[in-house]
Amino acid sequence: MKGIARFILYTILGWKMENDFPKEHKKYVVIAAPHTSWQDFPIAILARMSSGTMVNFIGKNSLFKGPFGFFFRGLGGTPVDRTKNNNLVDAIVDIFNSKEEFKLGLSPEGTRKKVEKWKTGFYYIAKGANVPIVMATLDFENKIIKISKPYFTTDDKEKDFKFFYAYYENIKGKNPHLS
């Protein structure tokens, strides 16, 4: 599968990958931004498959219903009910703590729409599970997927978020007006 994914991503679609997912850490949170199109998902899955690194994801409940539920679960997805007020951060921290190896990919925007401010769940998951954050981009303008080195959060949330936002500063998503 790795070879097929590489062929599709690099040869057919013309993408390049700068760096790879870190191999020295068995657990981390991957944040991918900007998330502006449905096309982000298949490109991200191909990048993950090309690298041979399993990165799980969560998605809205409706994606996992009907005929496509098995497909998204097979790709490493877990449904979440965003209409209920449940403590998703604690639940995901428990998953990290129960596994020897676990990587979770999230969109810090939480949607494909334009947002003024990112959601903070990914940050509190990383802090609670004591795992680093790896930043990933899908730069559609240049067809480059960038993966950062692991970043361990500090006790200064404002400083950490400035660092995150700076990493994504000039990245153009599929729909730049939504970035």
Side-chain angles (χ1 to χ4, degrees), residues 8-169:
I8 293 169
L9 185 64
Y10 304 141
T11 307
I12 295 176
L13 299 178
W15 283 81
K16 295 177 190 75
M17 198 153 161
E18 249 181 47
N19 303 321
D20 198 354
F21 291 100
K23 306 293 186 211
E24 69 274 15
H25 295 280
K26 292 185 177 211
K27 299 180 186 185
Y28 48 84
V29 174
V30 178
I31 57 171
H35 182 31
T36 65
S37 167
W38 65 269
Q39 293 177 28
D40 298 345
F41 181 75
I43 299 293
I45 294 296
L46 285 168
R48 177 192 83 177
M49 291 172 77
S50 294
S51 77
T53 302
M54 179 54 147
V55 178
N56 296 85
F57 63 93
I58 57 174
K60 59 184 173 181
N61 246 356
S62 61
L63 290 175
F64 294 85
K65 292 184 178 163
F68 295 107
F70 78 95
F71 176 73
F72 287 116
R73 280 185 180 84
L75 288 175
T78 301
V80 295
D81 186 351
R82 298 188 305 184
T83 62
K84 290 184 180 173
N85 189 9
N86 48 20
N87 199 336
L88 191 56
V89 169
D90 287 345
I92 295 173
V93 167
D94 288 344
I95 292 170
F96 268 99
N97 291 336
S98 72
K99 296 185 180 279
E100 191 164 317
E101 187 169 330
F102 188 68
K103 296 155 189 92
L104 178 67
L106 299 167
S107 163
E109 299 109 326
T111 181
R112 291 185 308 262
K113 298 174 186 152
K114 185 169 181 66
V115 297
E116 297 303 315
K117 213 166 87 170
W118 286 356
K119 294 184 177 286
T120 57
F122 75 91
Y123 183 77
Y124 291 108
I125 291 167
K127 284 187 90 56
N130 196 28
V131 299
I133 294 171
V134 173
M135 295 167 284
T137 69
L138 299 177
D139 181 350
F140 276 82
E141 182 177 57
N142 300 300
K143 284 197 161 184
I144 297 174
I145 299 161
K146 296 179 185 178
I147 311 288
S148 78
K149 291 184 177 356
Y151 177 84
F152 284 90
T153 59
T154 68
D155 288 328
D156 186 343
K157 181 179 165 188
E158 190 176 314
K159 175 186 162 233
D160 291 340
F161 271 78
K162 281 182 182 176
F163 181 81
F164 300 143
Y165 287 134
Y167 187 82
Y168 295 98
E169 197 167 37

